[in-house]
Amino acid sequence: MSLILFKNVLLASEDTPKLHPADVLIEDGVIRGVDHGIPAPAGCRIIDGQGKKVLLPGLFDPHVHLREPGKVAAESIQSGTEAAINGGITGVVAMPDTNPTIDSGPMVQNVLDIAARSARIPVYVAGAITKGRLGEELAGIADMKSRGAVMITDNGDPVHNPQVLRRAMEYSRNFDLMLASHCETRELTAGGSMNEGPVSYKLGLPGHPAISEEICLARDCRLAAYTRARLHIQHVSTARGMETLRRYKNEGVQVTCEVAPHHLLFTEEDVGEYDTNYKTSPPLRTKEDTEKLLQGLIEGVFDCIATDHAPHTDFEKKQEFVKAPNGVTGLETAFPSLYHHFIKTGKFGWDLLVKRCSTQPRRLIGLEPATIKQGSRADCVLFDAGLTTTFTRQFMRSRSINTPFLNKTLDGQVVMVVLGDSILLDRTSPQTP
């Protein structure tokens, strides 16, 4: 790609809920003009937005399980990043729950090397807090940071020992590294497979109570206040946990937090007839939790939306509900589902989507946000609200299809992704699949 001109598009930004009509000229991977009536240079490819298509900065996901090394039947770095592109996401942070665990500098470097060979978008790496994610001995935090780790987390498991977590926070503070926490009190979950309450009792499934998450969340926030570390709480699922975060934020503690699309969109009732595509950790909670999480997102309690993309093979997910692994995929479904359920219905605007799914997640790990401004590197997504997306096996690029949206249709479609001087995805032509 040398020259491309987006004509008559609607620009979305974090600064205003209103869409701004404009033309955008990109040359050699750089935005050369954002204005009205930009003339098309010779040899320029023109994409006509017809005053309807939305152009926005590429999205960024700070919580993704890419499974490589060790679990490539479910996902690889290549397939996971292609799924991200399919969903309008132009950067991800890979979690360390691989086999072996990403708990040393050489392991961080190994994953970055694989990504350099196989991914068309930037892949950033999170290192583990403890060796093997066993919660006992601190991992090589300094070496991981020196090799490029952007955060540390034992995601998928809590750090059970508060003294170990305290030391990890002190190390992360000294290295200016964010520590991200999966909040769960294992003595309370005891093998629970869905939210504890009337629905779990009716289905005869062991429960995962909300207090398991809330107690651990409050402990971790208190430790962060004591150590003055930067703490990030992952996949918050309960209203009470969110209110705890609001309080600590108001007190000036350096704590940030994320919410996953599935915790905004689904509830425990969706488990239905033991559908494992709705089994995740933390589990889907009550309708009241979901409604309050959405309100907290709108009010700014949550710093970002993160998919917690957790692919599993068909064989794994087709086990009985109690034995099936936790997790749903989300890289390809997040953007259309947020548009379909929240932007289209007027519950929140495009500015919130850009801020919580693009600019703020990048800022969390020290990156400059993607912007559609003259002089900026091209990093943008074209979205057509007049189309629909059906999430068939053929459409999706992930190796796994454990999503509640399988074979369902949502309004809106990602039709083009541009990063630097490359067009990563192009559905603007009728014949493009």
Side-chain angles (χ1 to χ4, degrees), residues 388-408:
T388 61
T389 304
T390 302
F391 295 98
T392 62
R393 171 71 277 184
Q394 293 72 32
F395 174 84
M396 290 186 288
R397 300 293 180 259
S398 173
R399 289 185 177 178
S400 297
I401 55 173
N402 51 299
T403 170
F405 293 106
L406 183 62
N407 294 323
K408 294 181 180 177

Side-chain angles (χ1 to χ4, degrees), residues 57-60 353-363 369-370:
L59 307 187
F60 189 90
L353 179 82
V354 172
K355 181 174 288 187
R356 302 305 176 206
C357 295
S358 178
T359 57
Q360 195 61 17
R362 286 183 168 92
R363 292 188 182 108

Side-chain angles (χ1 to χ4, degrees), residues 50-113:
Q50 302 173 326
K52 299 177 181 179
K53 297 181 180 68
V54 179
L55 192 69
L56 67 155
L59 307 187
F60 189 90
D61 195 334
H63 186 165
V64 171
H65 300 270
L66 294 180
R67 304 304 189 203
E68 189 175 8
K71 305 175 185 178
V72 294
E75 197 76 284
S76 68
I77 290 173
Q78 182 178 31
S79 66
T81 51
E82 289 302 309
I85 293 167
N86 209 26
I89 295 168
T90 57
V92 298
V93 178
M95 294 295 104
D97 59 332
T98 51
N99 185 19
T101 302
I102 304 171
D103 58 5
S104 66
M107 278 301 301
V108 170
Q109 189 63 57
N110 179 50
V111 173
L112 289 173
D113 289 345

Side-chain angles (χ1 to χ4, degrees), residues 189-210:
T189 55
S193 56
M194 69 170 297
N195 185 53
E196 183 177 279
V199 178
S200 67
Y201 301 149
K202 181 179 70 175
L203 295 176
L205 293 171
H208 179 139

Side-chain angles (χ1 to χ4, degrees), residues 6-10 21-23 46-54 382 384 386-387 428:
F6 291 100
K7 292 286 291 183
N8 304 312
V9 293
L10 300 172
D23 299 343
I46 299 174
I47 305 295
D48 191 354
Q50 302 173 326
K52 299 177 181 179
K53 297 181 180 68
V54 179
L382 188 66
D384 192 334
L387 299 178
T428 59

Side-chain angles (χ1 to χ4, degrees), residues 116-172:
R117 295 192 302 267
S118 61
R120 297 192 294 153
I121 61 173
V123 175
Y124 300 89
V125 177
I129 296 171
T130 62
K131 291 183 178 180
R133 294 172 46 252
L134 298 175
E136 298 170 358
E137 184 180 354
L138 290 184
I141 296 173
D143 197 15
M144 291 190 293
K145 171 66 183 290
S146 71
R147 301 292 186 103
V150 296
M151 71 171 74
I152 54 173
T153 178
D154 274 4
N155 182 259
D157 292 293
V159 178
H160 177 76
N161 188 323
Q163 179 70 341
V164 173
L165 184 59
R166 172 192 174 182
R167 296 306 181 203
M169 286 187 177
E170 290 169 342
Y171 269 97
S172 66

Side-chain angles (χ1 to χ4, degrees), residues 61 259-266 284 290 305-308 330 333-335 337-338 342 357 405:
D61 195 334
V259 64
H262 49 267
H263 288 128
L264 296 170
L265 293 166
F266 304 112
L284 303 175
T290 300
I305 299 172
T307 67
D308 189 11
T333 60
F335 187 3
S337 66
L338 293 171
F342 300 129
C357 295
F405 293 106

